[in-house]
Amino acid sequence: MYTQNFNLKNYNTFGINVFAAQFAQANNLNTLQQIVADNKNQNNKLLILGGGSNILFTQNYNGLVIKNNLLGINIVQQDADFVYLQAHAGEPWHNFVMYCVSHAYGGLENLALIPGSVGAAPMQNIGAYGTEIKDTFYQLTALEISTNTLHTFSNTDCQFGYRQSIFKQQLKNKFIVTSVTFKLTKHNHNYNTSYGAIYTELQQLKSTTPNLQNIAQAVINIRNSKLPNPAQIGNAGSFFKNPTVPNSIYQQLQTQFSGIVGYAQNNNQTKIAAGWLIEQCGFKGAQKGNAGCHAKQALVLVNLGGATGAEIVQLSNNIIHAVQQKFGITLEPEVNII
Ligand code: FAD
Ligand code: EPU
């Protein structure tokens, strides 16, 4: 069940060449509980790995890496209007979204083509194109590592926010998500085309009446046009979060920097497009050693081939420094740096 000194290069989408002291794959709940029990005796450090698409390894992992491979999609409940669909943590996220689209279950179509696993999706409340999972999330089950028992978390329990949940805060490293249930529409779908590029893309597709299929396809096309495919260029999507500032600060910035891009939020805050800030500092398309800033999307840092995690971190620190100097804003990494 356990492999020693396991190479993780193909298990993280940055493609960083590091090793785990111990590696185990869990294909079912029993195996997962066995691994957790064994590990308790050994008192090892433990890292749960899904698709490795939101992780940057900066060194070898001196502990146990558990790859969560729990599979299965099933209906747990339904009524006239909604289906409560459960997906196990190891299901690839995009496949699950396309399963929903093909079964005419509405709610996740704007989240097509996000890499990674279902189990990791609640960690940072994944979001794109005007939707976050919190909008359709019903509940999840997770294994508490200290007691090896299963617990259920409701939407409120998860304390979702922008790229945020309780699992990145108070409960960090304490639970392993085993399944997630979504409440999806069976008809009267609530199509979300508020994100301008979707509407433009639907026009390109010559299908301006939105449906689940064409929205998913529009999102796939938009993503392919600007985000690097990790199979070709190592990356973990947006490296930083979009920073949120009080409206008063944003208004000051607008007077100094006329093209600044921001989105009004609740409670007098504005979310600023970090990609714009980074581009203004001259990093778009820049390279430093084997690390780079993507030429089509400055928020995405890339491994140009053979980069170490330290090289990527160095580039990210240079970006943080430059953005801080020019705009007085401190960017926060979105990627989990290990
Ligand atoms: P991993 O990278 O394996 O893990 C991420 C974190 O979650 C780690 O801390 C890990 O320990 C923990 N974890 C993983 N599985 C479990 C589990 N079962 N239980 C407990 N903890 C767990 N994200 C977005 O929100 N929106 C986007 O639009 C988006 N676009 C992307 C585009 C590209 C090209 C790439 C490469 C990434 C993008 N991401 C995006 C980031 C990433 O895909 C998501 O964060 C995804 O949910 C990560 O899933 P994963 O299985 O790869 O997680
Ligand atoms: N922009 C620039 N230069 C750039 C990149 C962006 O000026 O190089 C400006 C443009 O004005 C653009 C705006 O920023 O219109 C927003 O860019 P984009 O639509 O690409 O979205 P984003 O804010 O950069 C966020 C998420 C993505 C998500 C998209 C789509 C974060 C940190 N990132 O990116 O999520 O896919 O919106 O909704 O919130 C991820 O989390 O890994 C991720 C890819």
Side-chain angles (χ1 to χ4, degrees):
M1 182 148 62
Y2 298 97
T3 312
Q4 314 298 322
N5 207 25
F6 185 87
N7 191 314
L8 294 170
K9 188 167 184 223
N10 295 330
Y11 289 79
N12 71 99
T13 61
F14 253 122
I16 306 293
N17 190 22
V18 287
F19 289 79
Q22 251 193 335
F23 181 82
Q25 312 222 34
N27 296 332
N28 57 56
L29 186 58
N30 281 345
T31 309
L32 185 62
Q33 287 182 304
Q34 184 61 55
I35 294 170
V36 168
D38 292 349
N39 197 58
K40 200 166 184 183
N41 299 332
Q42 293 177 20
N43 213 6
N44 241 337
K45 266 204 319 186
L46 195 154
L47 176 75
I48 312 303
L49 193 62
S53 66
N54 208 22
I55 278 187
L56 176 64
F57 288 106
T58 56
Q59 54 190 316
N60 290 333
Y61 190 76
N62 184 22
L64 169 66
V65 172
I66 304 176
K67 174 89 169 70
N68 188 326
N69 289 337
L70 272 54
L71 295 180
I73 299 175
N74 52 286
I75 293 176
V76 287
Q77 189 188 328
Q78 61 183 317
D79 56 33
D81 300 323
F82 296 101
V83 60
Y84 295 77
L85 195 64
Q86 178 186 50
H88 290 267
E91 285 290 339
W93 176 260
H94 174 66
N95 293 2
F96 175 57
V97 170
M98 296 319 284
Y99 176 96
C100 296
V101 168
S102 69
H103 285 75
Y105 302 145
L108 296 177
E109 55 285 352
N110 292 50
L111 302 176
L113 214 62
I114 297 181
S117 59
V118 165
M123 291 294 125
Q124 67 161 13
N125 175 29
I126 57 169
Y129 303 99
T131 304
E132 294 179 326
I133 64 155
K134 74 169 172 41
D135 304 331
T136 46
F137 177 98
Y138 182 64
Q139 64 178 34
L140 64 74
T141 53
L143 191 66
E144 187 176 27
I145 293 168
S146 62
T147 59
N148 218 342
T149 55
L150 284 175
H151 295 251
T152 302
F153 291 79
S154 70
N155 195 317
T156 318
D157 294 337
C158 293
Q159 298 181 15
F160 290 126
Y162 166 61
R163 299 296 189 269
Q164 202 52 271
S165 77
I166 195 165
F167 303 105
K168 286 183 80 176
Q169 301 284 330
Q170 297 96 300
L171 300 186
K172 192 172 163 74
N173 298 331
K174 298 206 180 319
F175 282 85
I176 304 173
V177 175
T178 56
S179 74
V180 187
T181 303
F182 294 90
K183 180 182 176 183
L184 304 169
T185 49
K186 289 165 78 171
H187 45 80
N188 295 337
H189 305 303
N190 199 0
Y191 302 120
N192 184 344
T193 54
S194 58
Y195 201 96
I198 294 186
Y199 187 73
T200 314
E201 189 58 36
L202 286 179
Q203 286 178 315
Q204 300 267 337
L205 291 170
K206 299 200 178 1
S207 50
T208 41
T209 309
N211 59 46
L212 302 179
Q213 279 81 8
N214 65 15
I215 292 180
Q217 192 56 52
V219 167
I220 289 169
N221 294 356
I222 298 165
R223 297 182 68 97
N224 280 335
S225 72
K226 56 181 163 187
L227 291 170
N229 179 348
Q232 286 150 7
I233 308 174
N235 76 92
S238 301
F239 195 87
F240 303 101
K241 292 185 202 170
N242 286 326
T244 302
V245 298
N247 287 345
S248 54
I249 303 269
Y250 185 65
Q251 281 148 15
Q252 276 172 30
L253 287 166
Q254 273 182 313
T255 60
Q256 286 174 273
F257 307 99
S258 58
I260 192 166
V261 181
Y263 313 95
Q265 308 292 297
N266 298 331
N267 51 33
N268 295 324
Q269 303 272 315
T270 301
K271 194 191 274 176
I272 299 181
W276 187 88
L277 302 175
I278 297 169
E279 184 174 348
Q280 295 305 305
C281 293
F283 283 97
K284 196 168 184 172
Q287 300 187 6
K288 184 162 172 47
N290 296 318
C293 181
H294 191 51
K296 291 185 191 164
Q297 225 302 0
L299 197 47
V300 179
L301 300 192
V302 293
N303 175 358
L304 296 165
T308 62
E311 276 179 293
I312 308 273
V313 167
Q314 182 60 55
L315 175 60
S316 82
N317 285 338
N318 294 350
I319 291 173
I320 292 172
H321 182 72
V323 169
Q324 171 65 46
Q325 291 290 304
K326 193 173 168 95
F327 299 103
I329 291 174
T330 308
L331 293 180
E332 244 184 81
E334 188 216 82
V335 170
N336 298 283
I337 300 174
I338 311 277

